[in-house]
């Protein structure tokens, strides 16, 4: 029998030129960008692993759908197609289209949040937390213990700690819990999966206390892959059936279609509660657009309807999860400290362990991100004290819990040789660890500093 080899299950029909810069050019580009990768121009980047969000390649089917997009203001064909696809997938009665995930978050958490409410999650994504806190409510993360240990293998390292959930409900009172939000996969830690057993247990607890249960479902297809291959009882089910089962455990969901919708823009809020849906729809019409397009063009909705079908294709998911694991396994084999096991959409590197000689005040994650760019034009994202660190009243850094760098992998965009190039770059960086210095901040805005901060190298 042949050993099964995973290949990219697509041929390339349209190519987008990558400009291959020289070392000297990149040194200039990075200096001009004040050593902040968000300030680079995309043409200055060779392999862009900043995010997997909105960066997918669409299929020929989706591009064909773009031409069929119906741009009618009300009741467009493309909307009806998208709505029926989402109803079938989620089982929810009311679907509200939005221009991306955070717009749906704003609609929902602004309605059900507010002073005195708490929201509990395996881990709130930043925009989820920001929307909840903006409403005056509090966001609490309770991932399982294994999530805190870099090297510990757990098949479902994205799970929520249900013991802590029950304790928190008791402590705050069920009437003060705005919602329990399960993020699938859990973005933090690289898209670690959540088991069906965990989702079911949370659903039962929420039902028993009359608490709303919301799925943040932007990577639900990737999550379904892990359930089929790691959780007992799911081997014979299709990926779509697994996702459908999980959706039906919740009272509603938010999805940024920029991930598993395989599109560049779009999202939705899906609910079963008529009253709440009417309230959210009113704000949708005021802030996003009419109820049958939200913030989307007809062509966007057509592409989402198709993308939500394609993403459950077994060959696609096999390629997707295996190619993320390929990068993770190869980095681990050459001694790069990564969060283990690899998740669905990204690999997280522990920069503090990679550069132990750089103090957290000099941002080892930023140093690694800059080295990756200088060496090979690879752009990634620091997720450490630049992003989450704060300064105390004396200007001293209160560091983030970990100094991580995220390599997020766009869907259907890079081939195995691009990924081998990333691995080779790490092999070189590994040899040169000792000569790398940290960075200091020369300018920072008062809020969300990582996007626009400026740095200089510490010599
Ligand atoms: N929820 C999760 C789990 C996310 O990862 C994101 C976006 C959102 C919600 C918000 O969706 O961007 O469409 O408004 N994550 C991107 C990332 C930005 O890079 O991880 P959005």
């Amino acid at each position: 029998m042949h050993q099964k080899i995973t290949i990219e299950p697509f041929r390339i029909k349209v190519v987008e030129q990558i400009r291959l810069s020289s070392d000297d050019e990149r040194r200039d580009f990075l200096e001009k960008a004040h050593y902040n990768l968000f300030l680079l121009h995309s043409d200055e980047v060779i392999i862009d692993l900043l995010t997997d969000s909105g960066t997918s390649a669409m299929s020929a089917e989706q591009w064909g759908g773009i031409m069929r997009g119906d741009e009618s203001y009300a009741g467009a064909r493309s909307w009806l197609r998208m709505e029926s696809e989402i109803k079938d997938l989620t089982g929810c009665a009311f679907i509200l289209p939005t221009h991306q995930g955070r717009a749906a978050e704003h609609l929902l958490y602004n309605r059900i949040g507010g002073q005195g409410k708490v929201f509990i999650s395996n881990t709130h994504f930043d925009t989820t937390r920001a929307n909840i806190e903006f409403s005056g409510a509090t966001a609490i993360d309770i991932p399982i213990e294994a999530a805190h240990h870099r090297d510990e293998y757990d098949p479902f390292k994205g799970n929520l700690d249900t013991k802590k959930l029950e304790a928190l409900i008791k402590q705050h009172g069920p009437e003060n819990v705005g919602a329990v939000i399960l993020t699938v996969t859990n973005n933090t830690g690289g898209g670690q999966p959540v088991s069906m057993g965990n989702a079911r247990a949370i659903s039962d607890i929420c039902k028993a206390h009359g608490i709303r249960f919301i799925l943040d479902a932007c990577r639900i297809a990737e999550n379904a892959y892990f359930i089929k291959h790691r959780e007992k009882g799911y081997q014979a089910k299709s990926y779509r059936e697994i996702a459908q089962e999980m959706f039906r455990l919740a009272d509603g969901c938010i999805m940024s279609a920029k991930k598993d919708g395989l599109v560049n823009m779009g999202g939705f809020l899906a609910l079963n509660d008529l009253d709440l849906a009417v309230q959210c729809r009113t704000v949708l019409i005021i802030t996003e657009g009419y109820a049958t397009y939200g913030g989307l063009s007809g062509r966007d909705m057509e592409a989402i309807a198709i993308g939500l079908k394609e993403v459950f294709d077994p060959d696609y998911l096999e390629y997707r999860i295996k190619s993320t694991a390929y990068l993770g396994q190869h980095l681990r084999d050459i001694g790069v400290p990564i969060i283990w096991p690899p998740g669905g959409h990204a690999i997280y590197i522990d920069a503090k362990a990679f550069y132990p000689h750089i103090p957290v005040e000099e941002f080892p994650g930023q140093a690694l991100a800059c080295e990756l760019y200088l060496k090979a034009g690879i752009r990634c994202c620091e997720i450490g004290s630049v992003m989450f660190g704060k300064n105390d009243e004396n200007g001293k850094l209160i560091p983030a819990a970990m100094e991580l760098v995220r390599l997020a992998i766009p869907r259907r965009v890079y081939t195995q040789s691009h990924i081998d190039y990333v691995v080779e770059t790490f092999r070189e960086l590994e040899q040169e660890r000792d000569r790398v210095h940290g960075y200091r901040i020369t300018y920072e805005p008062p809020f969300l500093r990582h996007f626009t901060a400026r740095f200089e190298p510490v010599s």
Side-chain angles (χ1 to χ4, degrees):
M1 221 175 84
H2 289 297
Q3 199 191 343
K4 190 166 183 289
I5 299 170
T6 305
I7 58 169
E8 289 88 357
F10 47 79
R11 294 186 293 188
I12 296 167
K13 198 194 237 352
V14 176
V15 295
E16 186 177 1
Q17 187 79 21
I18 295 176
R19 190 178 170 282
L20 300 175
S21 50
S22 68
D23 292 2
D24 286 344
E25 284 176 314
R26 284 195 300 277
R27 205 165 297 120
D28 290 346
F29 294 149
L30 192 60
E31 193 184 334
K32 187 181 63 116
H34 304 280
Y35 302 92
N36 183 342
L37 302 167
F38 281 103
L39 301 180
L40 288 170
H41 296 182
S42 65
D43 282 348
E44 297 163 351
V45 175
I46 296 177
I47 306 274
D48 205 344
L49 306 182
L50 192 60
T51 179
D52 66 316
S53 179
T55 52
S56 304
M58 289 202 293
S59 65
E61 279 304 308
Q62 285 176 298
W63 283 109
I66 293 265
M67 283 307 295
R68 291 192 302 273
D70 175 359
E71 306 300 340
S72 304
Y73 190 92
R77 246 180 356 258
S78 301
W79 158 247
L80 296 173
R81 210 162 274 157
M82 168 173 158
E83 185 192 35
S84 105
E85 188 58 37
I86 297 170
K87 279 188 172 171
D88 179 63
L89 185 59
T90 64
C92 285
F94 309 107
I95 315 299
L96 284 68
T98 59
H99 78 276
Q100 64 182 96
R102 67 197 70 182
E105 289 171 347
H106 185 68
L107 292 177
L108 181 63
Y109 300 131
N110 217 29
R111 306 305 323 145
I112 65 175
Q115 210 88 43
K117 293 277 185 214
V118 294
F119 287 78
I120 306 168
S121 176
N122 47 349
T123 312
H124 295 85
F125 179 67
D126 338 355
T127 59
T128 318
R129 172 177 286 277
N131 272 301
I132 287 167
E133 291 175 350
F134 193 70
S135 81
T138 305
I140 303 172
D141 293 338
I142 47 165
I144 55 168
E145 184 55 32
H148 300 296
H149 303 285
R150 187 187 75 203
D151 295 317
E152 187 175 326
Y153 178 86
D154 189 297
F156 293 103
K157 213 171 176 173
N159 279 357
L160 176 147
D161 188 328
T162 50
K163 281 220 168 62
K164 285 191 183 154
L165 175 61
E166 292 190 284
L168 281 171
I169 293 171
K170 206 176 223 166
Q171 182 190 336
H172 293 277
E175 68 285 4
N176 295 317
V177 179
V180 175
I181 303 166
L182 191 59
T183 310
V184 290
T185 57
N186 195 1
N187 188 347
T188 310
Q192 297 292 337
V194 175
S195 69
M196 193 70 81
N198 192 241
R200 197 174 302 115
I202 295 162
S203 177
D204 290 345
I205 294 169
C206 287
K207 279 202 181 79
H209 291 96
I211 295 171
R212 198 177 281 111
F213 177 25
I214 300 292
L215 275 190
D216 178 345
C218 60
R219 298 181 181 89
I220 187 117
E222 291 172 3
N223 200 78
Y225 179 93
F226 289 106
I227 289 178
K228 184 175 168 93
H229 295 274
R230 292 185 185 169
E231 191 164 356
K232 217 168 144 237
Y234 288 92
Q235 281 64 31
K237 295 223 158 92
S238 73
Y239 296 119
R240 193 181 171 87
E241 284 166 347
I242 293 170
Q244 284 171 321
E245 181 175 332
M246 191 174 267
F247 275 121
R248 280 155 183 77
L249 293 171
D251 300 303
C253 70
I254 281 175
M255 183 163 181
S256 163
K258 298 172 72 172
K259 287 81 167 172
D260 276 353
L262 296 176
V263 293
N264 306 116
M265 197 51 75
F268 61 85
L269 167 64
L271 294 169
N272 276 320
D273 176 336
L274 171 64
D275 253 12
L276 184 59
V278 168
Q279 289 175 43
C280 292
R281 190 168 283 154
T282 305
V283 185
L284 174 81
I285 296 170
I286 297 169
T287 59
E288 283 276 297
Y290 181 61
T292 67
Y293 70 86
L296 297 169
S297 307
R299 53 182 171 272
D300 294 331
M301 298 192 285
E302 195 75 32
I304 291 171
I306 299 166
L308 285 175
K309 270 206 164 68
E310 284 182 356
V311 78
F312 291 104
D313 174 71
D315 293 338
Y316 162 74
L317 277 176
E318 183 82 10
Y319 137 80
R320 171 68 178 161
I321 302 302
K322 289 270 175 72
S323 52
T324 302
Y326 177 92
L327 174 60
Q329 184 66 55
H330 280 74
L331 291 182
R332 185 172 156 104
D333 289 349
I334 59 173
V336 178
I338 68 162
I339 292 184
W340 191 258
H345 71 286
I347 297 297
Y348 276 61
I349 297 150
D350 181 347
K352 201 155 91 178
F354 195 70
Y355 291 139
H357 60 287
I358 301 180
V360 290
E361 289 74 19
E362 294 175 12
F363 308 116
Q366 190 64 20
L368 177 54
C370 287
E371 283 307 301
L372 271 172
Y373 178 71
L374 287 170
K375 175 70 71 187
I378 298 163
R379 174 156 70 171
C380 62
C381 189
E382 192 264 10
I383 302 195
S385 290
V386 173
M387 193 181 269
F388 293 126
K390 294 200 165 75
N391 295 327
D392 71 10
E393 59 277 16
N394 302 317
K396 193 173 155 21
L397 177 75
I398 308 165
M402 291 182 88
E403 303 298 328
L404 300 172
V405 160
R406 182 179 81 167
L407 308 175
I409 307 173
R411 295 167 182 77
R412 305 193 291 206
V413 170
Y414 294 115
T415 64
Q416 186 175 334
S417 63
H418 291 116
I419 297 299
D420 286 337
Y421 173 86
V422 177
V423 174
E424 280 313 307
T425 304
F426 269 97
R427 214 187 289 279
E428 290 179 38
L429 293 186
E430 166 82 8
Q431 305 295 317
E432 303 167 4
R433 292 182 191 210
D434 297 343
R435 64 150 188 82
V436 175
H437 299 286
Y439 286 80
R440 74 168 71 87
I441 294 179
T442 58
Y443 158 78
E444 62 179 295
F447 198 57
L448 294 172
R449 69 175 176 184
H450 56 286
F451 289 129
T452 52
R454 295 177 175 186
F455 301 85
E456 68 184 12
V458 175
S459 52

